[in-house]
Amino acid sequence: MDYRSYFKQYPDKNGRYGEYGGAILPPELVPVFKEITEAYNAICHSAQFINELRRIRKEFQGRPTPVYHCDRLSRKLKTGCQIYLKREDLNHTGAHKLNHCMGEGLLAKFMGKKKLIAETGAGQHGVALATAAAYFGLKCDIYMGEVDIAKQAPNVTRMKILGANVVPVTHGLKTLKEAVDAAFDAYLKEYKDAIYCIGSALGPHPFPQMVRDFQMCVGLEAREQFLEMTGIFPDVVCACVGGGSNSAGMFAAFLNDPVEICGVEPLGRGPRTGDHAASMAYGKRGILHGFESIILQEEDGSPSPVYSIASGLDYPGVGPEHAFWRDLGRVNYVTASDEEAIDAFFKLSRYEGIIPALESAHAVAYAMRRAKEMHSGAILVNCSGRGDKDVDYVVEHYGYGEQFMFKD
C-alpha cells in the first residue's frame, strides 16, 4: 500500500478501516454521533480551531516534548543498539492523554456542550479530561472501577482537586471495561448536554479517528526530532497498546517511512484466559462498545475477563485501526509480561532517572529485549506517561527494585 494517501482513504465514509470500526449504536444515539462527526469534520478543517489547539499545545501543555537518548541504559544492555524515548511523560498532567482531551474539550465548546463524560483505568485519561474541563469551564464526570480507584489513588485525588466527579463502578471485575460500560450508560441519559470523551482510539466512529488525529502530534514531533538528532530514521518504533491511543498517534506519523513498527500488548501473568489483555495475540473479530475490532471473547461472544499490572492496558479489545494495520502487515504486535514490565520500570528509573508509567514500561521492556537481539541500530520508544501514579503499588509489591539491577 502507498501510505502517502492513507489518511484520505481511512476511515471510509462509514467510519471503517477495512473490516473494522464503524458505529454500532442504539437508534437514539445514531443522530448524536452523526452530529459529533459533522462537528469534527467542520473543526478539523478550521484554521481558527487548529490555531487555537496549537496555542494550547504550546502555552498550556508544554509541547513539543523532547526525544531523549537513553545512553546509560543502552550501554548497560551491552549491545550496540541505542534506545531513545519520546518523552510524553513530560506533557502536562504526565501522559499523552491530554493531547486528545484538550481537542475533545475544544470540540465540546464548539458544540455548546456543558459536560464531559469519560471512563478511566490508570487514571491518566481521567486526570487529563478533568484538566480539560477545568480549562474550558465544563462539568466533568469520570467513571472508574473500584479496583483501579484503590490501585491509582494519587490520580483519583488529582481528579477531585481539579473539580471532577469520580463515580465508582462496582459491577463485574470493577476495572476498565466496566468503567466504559458505565460511562456509555450515563451518556445515553445525558447526550443532549454532554459529550462522551472516550479515552483511547476506540469506540464508535468518529472517536478512533479523532483520537488518532489529536495524538498524531506525538509521532510528527518524534519523527522530526529523531531525524534532527541523528540524520536517519530509527530502525524500530514501538509503543504500548491497550486500546491504542498513544501508539496510534506515534505509529501514524511513520507509516510511509522505512521503519519497523511494533505495538506491545500486556501478556500479564501469562497466556491463560483472565491473566492477560493481549487482544491481538489471543483475540478474534467481534463487537464491543459500539465498534468492530479484535476482541478477547468467550465462546458466547461476551468479552473475556482481562488482567494487566498496568491499569490502562487491561481492556479486552483494541482500536479498529490497529486491527487494520495488523492485517495490512504494516505493524507487528508483540507482548511483554508483568515481570518484564516491572524489570524495565526499575531499570529505566535507576539508570536514566526516569520513572515510567507501568503502561509505558511494557514498551521499554520490549525495546530492551529487542536491543539485545539487534546488536546495532536504534529503537524509538513512546514513553507515554510517568510512573508517579504507580510507585506506591510497585513498592508495596516489589520493594525498591534492587533485585532487578544489572550485575556489573
Side-chain angles (χ1 to χ4, degrees), residues 227-246:
L227 282 169
E228 183 179 347
M229 288 176 75
T230 68
I232 57 175
F233 286 107
D235 295 273
V236 179
V237 172
C238 70
C240 65
V241 179
S245 56
N246 89 92

Side-chain angles (χ1 to χ4, degrees), residues 7 11 36-51 53-54 103 106-107 110 205-206 209-214:
F7 298 106
I36 295 172
T37 302
E38 290 174 350
Y40 178 66
N41 287 337
I43 59 99
C44 74
H45 295 101
S46 162
Q48 183 180 358
F49 179 91
I50 293 167
N51 288 333
L53 189 57
R54 285 175 176 168
L106 197 55
L107 175 64
F110 175 80
H205 178 70
Q209 178 189 2
M210 283 172 49
V211 171
R212 178 203 71 195
D213 290 352
F214 287 138

Side-chain angles (χ1 to χ4, degrees), residues 362-407:
H362 284 73
V364 177
Y366 174 73
M368 290 167 54
R369 186 204 314 161
R370 189 65 188 279
K372 293 176 183 177
E373 298 169 356
M374 289 171 57
H375 302 297
S376 64
I379 301 172
L380 176 59
V381 183
N382 190 19
C383 185
S384 55
R386 68 183 180 221
D388 302 33
K389 65 186 179 58
D390 297 313
V391 292
D392 291 342
Y393 175 85
V394 169
V395 169
E396 180 182 348
H397 290 84
Y398 298 94
Y400 291 94
E402 296 297 335
Q403 68 273 33
F404 296 99
M405 296 304 103
F406 289 110
K407 303 296 186 285

Side-chain angles (χ1 to χ4, degrees), residues 66 77 108 215 323 344 355 366 382:
L77 291 169
Q215 289 293 343
I355 303 175
Y366 174 73
N382 190 19

Side-chain angles (χ1 to χ4, degrees), residues 1-2 4-13 16:
M1 173 182 283
D2 183 352
R4 288 175 297 181
S5 60
Y6 176 86
F7 298 106
K8 292 186 180 297
Q9 298 179 59
Y10 302 105
D12 65 18
K13 63 181 180 179
R16 291 218 165 236

Side-chain angles (χ1 to χ4, degrees), residues 189-235:
K189 301 169 187 173
E190 300 186 67
Y191 59 80
K192 290 183 180 179
D193 295 316
I195 187 170
Y196 179 39
C197 299
I198 202 157
S200 196
L202 44 77
H205 178 70
F207 282 100
Q209 178 189 2
M210 283 172 49
V211 171
R212 178 203 71 195
D213 290 352
F214 287 138
Q215 289 293 343
M216 269 188 69
C217 59
V218 178
L220 292 170
E221 288 175 9
R223 183 181 184 277
E224 180 181 349
Q225 290 164 329
F226 194 89
L227 282 169
E228 183 179 347
M229 288 176 75
T230 68
I232 57 175
F233 286 107
D235 295 273

